[in-house]
């Protein structure tokens, strides 16, 4: 059976289908639990959560399912948080704040720009999570060793062959190959992200030829056609973000879910506007306006912290022109509904496509 | 059998594998004939050829094979050739000319920037070519009607769903869906090309869902994995450019073929440097330098004509830093050798992948 791949075996799951660890309140415990319960691998998007919140969320998932699940974190870059002057970009964004009727922000830098990665990792270790997935780099050796020692499976993310080779060399168990179609943050951590916008069709076979660890395809996969195509390209599993962001259990804003259904393949763009790191999302007024100030945008995670009040107010007011609505290039194919239905439909459709070939 | 698709049936070929109509002396008669003879659809890259040259090339193909083949032309855009001032960009490029030891170019615009499309079409009609394929737009109704009347099959190229819908509405028989991975010119003719850089994995299912005419996948397909994946995504055939550019019968410069073998998935970039129209090729000094003068670059076909002497001198001297070396994002997977071997290997490998799934 096609479901029985190296990925499903190593993860102890029924179908080699992984729900991406979308941060910002999208990949919440009830989504992860629903996916894992149905036989896929659910993932908690924990990148922006405080250590205590991660602990609580992990326990929440465990109350809903005894199946394996993953927790996803973002590897911090060194020395990014110091330099950038933020006064000018804050002033630019005050126009949006005025439009949203929220207070102008002071130009004093916040106390911290991101949660402590070390403290987040301590929770993952203490909770003995079954799977740890990550993007934006490679964790330090101490973490890799400690997690492996207690049996946690490690899944890294690569946008190029050289990134995958780095992950394999570091002892990571499997690698997500993120094609340029994928929604959300580009996982690129070596070299410029423009060089690393490689389509899934081109990326997966090159990864599969060069690394020995199992490859999981991501980017543009929405239904059984994408799953079957990924297996043909040499992947042993798939990771879907957009398809699960649209599900009932996802924490995505209802207007964001609605926007996903109304996209075309031309609706998305790779932007640094919301977080300072390139990410693919639905083009809106905020992205277009901030695109004019690209040279002033501070790096991630600074810009992510600076836009927090705007994103929050936009969500409260249901103003999609200021929301970050991450989406892949095949978002038009979302079907929504319960996550369990999405997985079972994917599995059924994949079997149907494979029988037809 | 997987080979028996709507595309192979309509074209009267054994395998639904099309060799792209690469211009600039790449898709020459001996390549097209070799592909058609082996059971695929060979294509003459006739876009830049004078009407008399096209006639001679068609007859040359017919002397080598009685199988169906295609002739590929470029649909002209209206009113592009007038405005642009060329003095400044010519001066910029004189530095390259000096390096190549060729004469500085006068700033007097040339008599014409491209061959007459109408005269090219008259040859295709007179020669009753079996298949006419094209990019950059939709031919005028008169041509479509005249060709269909004499039994010529028409294949258009789309980078978005709306372009495919336009082609279908105009009566075109099948459509190549060109994913962002593809080497060579972006076929985009509606809207900006940035919005239309859609990966093959995302593009093909959306095309297949919306148009009724057969869809041919292009972009990142190099071996049986790509063919099988394309069929899974809903395509009824595939078109390969880079894989055939590397073949023995291709007219590509030996140094260009060598460069293809030395690429990684990060080697290519979409550039307007050589022709004024966005195209994906191997990043070299010319592309990087001209990227600094992007705002001064005239549109296609003007820039294509202006760079002619540079490209010619670069080829004569084997200077790859000034050659246009179109390539897709999976160029690393080229195998070269005879075109017949490439096709038979593709067919065998596709069968093997499909059996394994």
């Amino acid at each position: 059976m096609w479901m029985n791949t190296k990925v499903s075996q190593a993860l102890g799951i029924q179908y080699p289908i992984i729900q991406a660890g979308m941060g910002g309140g999208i990949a919440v415990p009830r989504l992860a639990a629903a996916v894992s319960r149905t036989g896929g691998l659910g993932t908690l998007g924990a990148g922006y959560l405080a250590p205590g919140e991660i602990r609580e969320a992990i326990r929440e998932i465990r109350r809903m399912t005894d199946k394996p699940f993953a927790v996803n974190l973002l590897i911090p870059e060194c020395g990014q948080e110091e330099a950038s002057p933020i006064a000018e970009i804050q002033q630019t964004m005050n126009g949006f704040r005025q439009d949203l009727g929220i207070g102008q922000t002071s130009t004093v830098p916040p106390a911290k720009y991101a949660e402590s990665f070390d403290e987040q990792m301590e929770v993952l270790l203490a909770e003995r999570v079954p799977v740890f997935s990550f993007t934006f780099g490679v964790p330090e050796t101490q973490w890799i060793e400690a997690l492996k020692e207690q049996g946690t499976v490690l899944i890294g993310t690569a946008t190029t062959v050289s990134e995958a080779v780095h992950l394999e060399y570091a002892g990571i168990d499997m690698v997500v190959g993120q094609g340029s179609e994928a929604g959300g943050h580009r996982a690129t951590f070596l070299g410029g992200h423009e060089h690393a916008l490689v389509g899934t069709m081109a990326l997966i076979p090159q990864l599969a030829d060069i690394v020995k660890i199992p490859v999981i395809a991501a980017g543009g996969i929405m239904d059984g056609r994408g799953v079957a195509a990924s297996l043909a390209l040499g992947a042993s599993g798939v990771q879907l973000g957009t398809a699960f962001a649209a599900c009932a259990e996802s924490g995505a804003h209802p207007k964001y879910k609605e926007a996903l259904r109304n996209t075309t393949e031309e609706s998305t763009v790779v932007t640094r506007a919301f977080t300072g790191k390139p990410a693919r999302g639905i083009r809106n007024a905020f992205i277009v306006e901030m695109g004019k100030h690209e040279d002033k945008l501070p790096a991630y995670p600074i810009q992510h912290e600076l836009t927090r009040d705007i994103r929050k107010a936009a969500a409260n007011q249901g103003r999609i022109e200021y929301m970050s609505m991450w989406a892949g290039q095949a978002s038009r194919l979302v079907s929504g509904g319960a996550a369990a239905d999405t997985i079972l439909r994917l599995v059924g459709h994949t079997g149907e496509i494979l029988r037809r070939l």
Side-chain angles (χ1 to χ4, degrees), chain A:
Chain A
M1 279 304 278
W2 67 266
M3 298 91 144
N4 190 23
T5 69
K6 280 186 251 176
V7 166
S8 28
Q9 284 166 17
L11 296 172
I13 56 177
Q14 200 174 350
Y15 314 119
I17 297 172
I18 300 174
Q19 164 246 316
M22 301 162 282
I26 313 287
V28 292
R30 66 180 179 281
L31 178 62
V35 170
S36 287
R37 228 165 24 210
T38 317
L41 184 77
T43 306
L44 174 71
Y48 305 133
L49 299 183
E53 294 172 315
I54 297 176
R55 183 179 302 110
E56 187 35 50
I58 290 171
R59 292 177 181 180
E60 202 181 330
I61 293 172
R62 282 189 158 133
R63 282 193 293 272
M64 292 186 273
T65 183
D66 57 1
K67 295 286 175 66
F69 62 92
V71 177
N72 186 274
L73 291 181
L74 312 170
I75 309 298
E77 284 170 78
C78 302
Q80 282 270 1
E81 307 190 10
E82 301 135 26
S84 304
I86 63 167
E88 211 175 334
I89 199 74
Q90 283 290 45
Q91 207 167 349
T92 301
M93 295 199 294
N94 276 339
F96 306 131
R97 295 190 174 98
Q98 197 162 7
D99 187 29
L100 286 160
I102 56 174
Q104 310 291 291
T105 294
S106 97
T107 52
V108 179
K112 64 172 179 179
Y113 285 111
E115 298 296 337
S116 156
F117 180 75
D118 287 3
E119 291 173 22
Q120 292 177 319
M121 284 301 288
E122 291 294 357
V123 174
L124 267 60
L125 276 169
E127 294 293 321
R128 305 180 76 88
V129 296
V131 183
F132 168 51
S133 69
F134 54 90
T135 49
F136 301 168
V138 190
E140 286 169 46
T141 315
Q142 66 189 91
W143 298 120
I144 296 174
E145 284 172 358
L147 286 163
K148 294 191 90 155
E149 201 161 308
Q150 64 177 36
T152 297
V153 179
L154 302 178
I155 307 180
T157 317
T159 58
T160 62
V161 171
S162 55
E163 288 172 355
V165 168
H166 265 70
L167 291 163
E168 179 175 51
Y169 184 78
I172 305 307
D173 298 302
M174 41 188 87
V175 58
V176 173
Q178 186 194 39
S180 55
E181 297 92 334
H185 280 110
R186 301 297 305 154
T188 307
F189 59 93
L190 298 176
H193 90 97
E194 295 88 354
H195 298 197
L197 278 166
V198 183
T200 305
M201 182 72 95
L203 180 63
I204 301 303
Q206 295 182 71
L207 290 180
D209 280 351
I210 293 173
V211 299
K212 286 179 198 73
I213 54 176
V215 173
I216 296 155
I221 304 165
M222 297 297 291
D223 57 25
R225 293 174 290 189
V227 179
S230 300
L231 298 173
L233 293 172
S236 310
V238 294
Q239 180 172 286
L240 288 74
T242 312
F244 287 112
C247 284
E249 296 91 339
S250 134
H253 195 285
K255 292 231 171 183
Y256 168 17
K257 292 184 189 179
E258 188 189 328
L260 283 175
R261 285 191 294 272
N262 295 326
T263 53
T264 75
E265 75 291 354
E266 300 185 64
S267 301
T268 70
V269 63
V270 175
T271 178
R272 289 180 59 234
F274 286 106
T275 69
K277 209 184 244 300
R280 184 178 292 285
I282 300 173
R283 195 184 294 104
N284 61 6
F286 188 79
I287 292 173
V288 171
E289 280 308 307
M290 294 297 281
K292 299 171 191 162
H293 307 277
E294 173 64 33
D295 53 324
K296 286 180 227 150
L297 278 184
Y300 172 90
I302 301 175
Q303 179 67 0
H304 180 250
E305 181 59 34
L306 300 188
T307 60
R308 184 184 294 277
D309 60 334
I310 294 172
R311 288 179 286 114
K312 195 177 160 193
N316 285 339
Q317 300 173 30
R319 299 276 294 272
I320 59 168
E321 66 270 40
Y322 295 124
M323 288 185 198
S324 63
M325 299 184 289
W326 305 136
Q329 290 188 312
S331 307
R332 188 210 301 255
L333 304 177
V334 294
S335 41
D341 292 342
T342 296
I343 293 195
L344 296 176
R345 205 163 38 226
L346 264 175
V347 170
H349 193 208
T350 304
E352 198 182 302
I353 298 291
L354 291 174
R355 276 191 302 276
R356 251 190 253 159
L357 285 176

